[in-house]
Amino acid sequence: MGPHPAVAAIRLAVRRVLHDVIAEHAEQTERAGRAPHPELARAGAGSRSGTLPDRPGAPLVLVACSGGADSMALASALAFEARKLPVRAGGITVDHGLQDGSDSRAVEVAARLAAMDLGPAEAVAVHVGREGGPEAAARDARYAALDAAAERHGAAAVLLGHTRDDQAETVLLGLARGSGIRSLSGMAAASGPAGRYRRPFLQLDRQTARTACLAQSLPVWDDPHNIDPAYTRSRLRHEGLPALEKALGKGVVEALARTAQLSRDDADALDTWAAAADRDVRDDAGRLECAKLYALPPAVRRRVLRRAAIEAGSPAGSLFARHIEEVDRLVTGWRGQQAINLPGRVEALRQGGRLVIRQS
């Protein structure tokens, strides 16, 4: 008899991502002038060759594991699939230090990862600051630790356990911020430096991951922060989404996930257009010409302005739609306004038909 349907679903999702990682690794190796190992080439093309020994030349894939149901299901699927594919598999758990006993819990999770034959299996402690609020600060600290671990071990990819439910929540949070179509696009299946972060479960719901853990008797830790109403995402998860489903019927989560994918496709297309337009709206000295900016569609023009602000040193995470709207008015509603102050000590001003965005 085959595995439980939930277990089969998570393994298939992970297998697909691993084949992508293997194929990309083989391509990079070939571009570097080194012949990829025959097993890497075959696996990248979709071969299944049975149990494979650990090889130094195989790409390393790490799983970020909190000990919760989503990431434990992900870790178990990675461990299972890695035994049959030319990859090395490890795991990292991050101790945010925000709860009593978090350090011992992190050590316990790392031990569980090691028991799955994942290696390296590490617990990494971080300091969580205050900038941007507790949720954003914890996220920034976590990703910094995962980036450092990936660099330290030379990992080709880091798997994250975000599910379709997480995607729906992210879309609603973006909608509440009013930040535009890019916020509505939610989380990408691959993101970070060179697509380091991979999210195999974006098409699977949270219950599937939890069921897979139950079917495999995997111990699961439920983070109390996930039900703490002090956190925005927790309130959305336990109050907002249930209220929407009560008012609109079942299928809200699936609809929001579809919205994310459609929005991402549109946003990617507009970003490509804006990148091309950026070259056409500059003079010979590289300065932005207001008349040419004015002629662009608003969605494209605002992307050009955002790119210019980020290049000048404005942090992307602190640059909101209201900032870009103010800069846009220097182009479309010029009345002799003063310079616009942007995050990162960047200013935007209009001078002689040119838009200047620079450090103040």
Short mmCIF file of all heavy atoms in Angstrom, two decimals, residues 22 25-27 29-30 34-44 49 52-59 86:
data_model
loop_
_atom_site.label_atom_id
_atom_site.label_comp_id
_atom_site.label_asym_id
_atom_site.label_seq_id
_atom_site.Cartn_x
_atom_site.Cartn_y
_atom_site.Cartn_z
N ILE A 22 18.30 20.54 -9.00
CA ILE A 22 19.33 19.68 -9.61
C ILE A 22 19.63 20.13 -11.04
O ILE A 22 20.79 20.22 -11.45
CB ILE A 22 18.86 18.21 -9.58
CG1 ILE A 22 18.82 17.70 -8.14
CG2 ILE A 22 19.78 17.34 -10.43
CD1 ILE A 22 18.08 16.38 -7.99
N HIS A 25 21.57 23.37 -10.95
CA HIS A 25 22.95 23.12 -10.51
C HIS A 25 23.78 22.51 -11.64
O HIS A 25 24.94 22.92 -11.85
CB HIS A 25 22.93 22.18 -9.30
CG HIS A 25 24.30 21.86 -8.77
ND1 HIS A 25 25.02 22.75 -8.00
CD2 HIS A 25 25.08 20.75 -8.91
CE1 HIS A 25 26.18 22.20 -7.69
NE2 HIS A 25 26.24 21.00 -8.22
N ALA A 26 23.20 21.56 -12.37
CA ALA A 26 23.92 20.95 -13.48
C ALA A 26 24.23 21.98 -14.56
O ALA A 26 25.34 21.99 -15.13
CB ALA A 26 23.09 19.80 -14.05
N GLU A 27 23.28 22.89 -14.81
CA GLU A 27 23.49 23.92 -15.83
C GLU A 27 24.60 24.88 -15.40
O GLU A 27 25.46 25.26 -16.20
CB GLU A 27 22.19 24.69 -16.06
CG GLU A 27 22.27 25.73 -17.15
CD GLU A 27 20.94 26.43 -17.37
OE1 GLU A 27 19.91 25.93 -16.88
OE2 GLU A 27 20.95 27.49 -18.03
N THR A 29 27.04 24.24 -13.33
CA THR A 29 28.30 23.51 -13.36
C THR A 29 28.85 23.44 -14.78
O THR A 29 30.05 23.64 -15.03
CB THR A 29 28.10 22.09 -12.81
OG1 THR A 29 27.62 22.16 -11.47
CG2 THR A 29 29.41 21.30 -12.84
N GLU A 30 27.95 23.21 -15.72
CA GLU A 30 28.37 23.12 -17.13
C GLU A 30 28.85 24.47 -17.64
O GLU A 30 29.84 24.56 -18.37
CB GLU A 30 27.19 22.62 -17.97
CG GLU A 30 27.60 22.09 -19.32
CD GLU A 30 26.48 21.34 -20.01
OE1 GLU A 30 25.42 21.13 -19.38
OE2 GLU A 30 26.67 20.96 -21.18
N ARG A 34 32.80 22.81 -16.01
CA ARG A 34 33.02 21.51 -15.38
C ARG A 34 31.92 20.56 -15.82
O ARG A 34 30.75 20.95 -15.90
CB ARG A 34 33.01 21.63 -13.84
CG ARG A 34 34.03 22.62 -13.31
CD ARG A 34 34.11 22.55 -11.79
NE ARG A 34 32.82 22.77 -11.15
CZ ARG A 34 32.34 23.96 -10.82
NH1 ARG A 34 33.06 25.05 -11.10
NH2 ARG A 34 31.19 24.08 -10.23
N ALA A 35 32.27 19.34 -16.08
CA ALA A 35 31.28 18.35 -16.50
C ALA A 35 30.46 17.92 -15.29
O ALA A 35 31.01 17.53 -14.27
CB ALA A 35 31.96 17.13 -17.11
N PRO A 36 29.10 18.04 -15.36
CA PRO A 36 28.29 17.60 -14.24
C PRO A 36 28.36 16.09 -14.09
O PRO A 36 28.58 15.36 -15.06
CB PRO A 36 26.88 18.05 -14.63
CG PRO A 36 26.89 18.11 -16.12
CD PRO A 36 28.29 18.53 -16.49
N HIS A 37 28.19 15.64 -12.87
CA HIS A 37 28.16 14.20 -12.63
C HIS A 37 27.01 13.59 -13.43
O HIS A 37 25.93 14.17 -13.53
CB HIS A 37 27.96 13.93 -11.13
CG HIS A 37 28.24 12.51 -10.74
ND1 HIS A 37 27.34 11.49 -11.03
CD2 HIS A 37 29.27 11.94 -10.09
CE1 HIS A 37 27.83 10.36 -10.57
NE2 HIS A 37 29.00 10.60 -9.99
N PRO A 38 27.21 12.42 -14.06
CA PRO A 38 26.14 11.80 -14.86
C PRO A 38 24.82 11.67 -14.12
O PRO A 38 23.75 11.86 -14.70
CB PRO A 38 26.73 10.44 -15.23
CG PRO A 38 28.21 10.64 -15.18
CD PRO A 38 28.45 11.63 -14.09
N GLU A 39 24.86 11.33 -12.82
CA GLU A 39 23.63 11.20 -12.06
C GLU A 39 22.91 12.54 -11.92
O GLU A 39 21.69 12.61 -11.93
CB GLU A 39 23.91 10.61 -10.68
CG GLU A 39 24.34 9.15 -10.70
CD GLU A 39 23.18 8.23 -11.09
OE1 GLU A 39 22.08 8.73 -11.32
OE2 GLU A 39 23.40 7.02 -11.18
N LEU A 40 23.69 13.63 -11.81
CA LEU A 40 23.09 14.96 -11.72
C LEU A 40 22.37 15.30 -13.02
O LEU A 40 21.26 15.81 -13.01
CB LEU A 40 24.16 16.01 -11.43
CG LEU A 40 24.78 16.01 -10.04
CD1 LEU A 40 25.90 17.05 -9.98
CD2 LEU A 40 23.74 16.29 -8.98
N ALA A 41 23.00 15.00 -14.13
CA ALA A 41 22.39 15.30 -15.42
C ALA A 41 21.11 14.49 -15.61
O ALA A 41 20.10 15.00 -16.08
CB ALA A 41 23.38 15.01 -16.54
N ARG A 42 21.16 13.20 -15.26
CA ARG A 42 19.97 12.37 -15.44
C ARG A 42 18.84 12.79 -14.52
O ARG A 42 17.69 12.86 -14.92
CB ARG A 42 20.33 10.90 -15.21
CG ARG A 42 21.08 10.26 -16.36
CD ARG A 42 20.97 8.74 -16.29
NE ARG A 42 21.71 8.20 -15.15
CZ ARG A 42 22.99 7.90 -15.18
NH1 ARG A 42 23.70 8.10 -16.28
NH2 ARG A 42 23.59 7.39 -14.12
N ALA A 43 19.19 13.10 -13.27
CA ALA A 43 18.15 13.52 -12.34
C ALA A 43 17.56 14.85 -12.75
O ALA A 43 16.36 15.08 -12.62
CB ALA A 43 18.72 13.60 -10.92
N GLY A 44 18.40 15.74 -13.26
CA GLY A 44 17.88 17.02 -13.71
C GLY A 44 16.92 16.86 -14.87
O GLY A 44 16.02 17.66 -15.07
N SER A 49 16.74 7.18 -10.05
CA SER A 49 17.74 6.13 -10.15
C SER A 49 17.92 5.33 -8.87
O SER A 49 18.91 4.64 -8.70
CB SER A 49 19.08 6.76 -10.54
OG SER A 49 19.43 7.78 -9.64
N LEU A 52 20.94 6.80 -3.66
CA LEU A 52 22.22 7.29 -4.15
C LEU A 52 23.11 7.64 -2.97
O LEU A 52 22.66 8.17 -1.96
CB LEU A 52 22.01 8.57 -4.99
CG LEU A 52 21.22 8.36 -6.28
CD1 LEU A 52 20.85 9.70 -6.86
CD2 LEU A 52 22.02 7.55 -7.27
N PRO A 53 24.40 7.38 -3.07
CA PRO A 53 25.32 7.73 -1.99
C PRO A 53 25.54 9.23 -1.93
O PRO A 53 25.34 9.94 -2.90
CB PRO A 53 26.61 7.00 -2.37
CG PRO A 53 26.55 6.89 -3.86
CD PRO A 53 25.10 6.70 -4.20
N ASP A 54 25.97 9.70 -0.76
CA ASP A 54 26.30 11.12 -0.61
C ASP A 54 27.51 11.44 -1.46
O ASP A 54 28.51 10.72 -1.44
CB ASP A 54 26.59 11.40 0.86
CG ASP A 54 26.88 12.87 1.09
OD1 ASP A 54 26.35 13.68 0.33
OD2 ASP A 54 27.63 13.17 2.03
N ARG A 55 27.43 12.55 -2.25
CA ARG A 55 28.55 12.93 -3.11
C ARG A 55 28.86 14.40 -2.90
O ARG A 55 27.95 15.24 -2.89
CB ARG A 55 28.20 12.65 -4.58
CG ARG A 55 28.26 11.18 -4.95
CD ARG A 55 28.15 11.02 -6.45
NE ARG A 55 26.85 11.45 -6.93
CZ ARG A 55 25.80 10.63 -7.02
NH1 ARG A 55 25.91 9.39 -6.65
NH2 ARG A 55 24.65 11.08 -7.47
N PRO A 56 30.14 14.73 -2.79
CA PRO A 56 30.52 16.13 -2.57
C PRO A 56 30.04 17.06 -3.67
O PRO A 56 29.79 18.23 -3.44
CB PRO A 56 32.05 16.07 -2.51
CG PRO A 56 32.36 14.67 -2.11
CD PRO A 56 31.29 13.83 -2.74
N GLY A 57 29.91 16.55 -4.91
CA GLY A 57 29.51 17.41 -6.01
C GLY A 57 28.03 17.68 -6.11
O GLY A 57 27.59 18.50 -6.91
N ALA A 58 27.22 17.02 -5.29
CA ALA A 58 25.78 17.20 -5.35
C ALA A 58 25.37 18.49 -4.64
O ALA A 58 25.99 18.89 -3.65
CB ALA A 58 25.07 16.01 -4.71
N PRO A 59 24.35 19.19 -5.12
CA PRO A 59 23.92 20.43 -4.47
C PRO A 59 23.33 20.15 -3.09
O PRO A 59 22.69 19.12 -2.87
CB PRO A 59 22.85 20.97 -5.43
CG PRO A 59 22.33 19.77 -6.15
CD PRO A 59 23.52 18.85 -6.30
N PRO A 86 20.22 12.86 -6.45
CA PRO A 86 21.60 13.33 -6.21
C PRO A 86 21.62 14.71 -5.57
O PRO A 86 22.05 15.71 -6.17
CB PRO A 86 22.20 13.34 -7.61
CG PRO A 86 21.05 13.61 -8.51
CD PRO A 86 19.88 12.90 -7.89
#
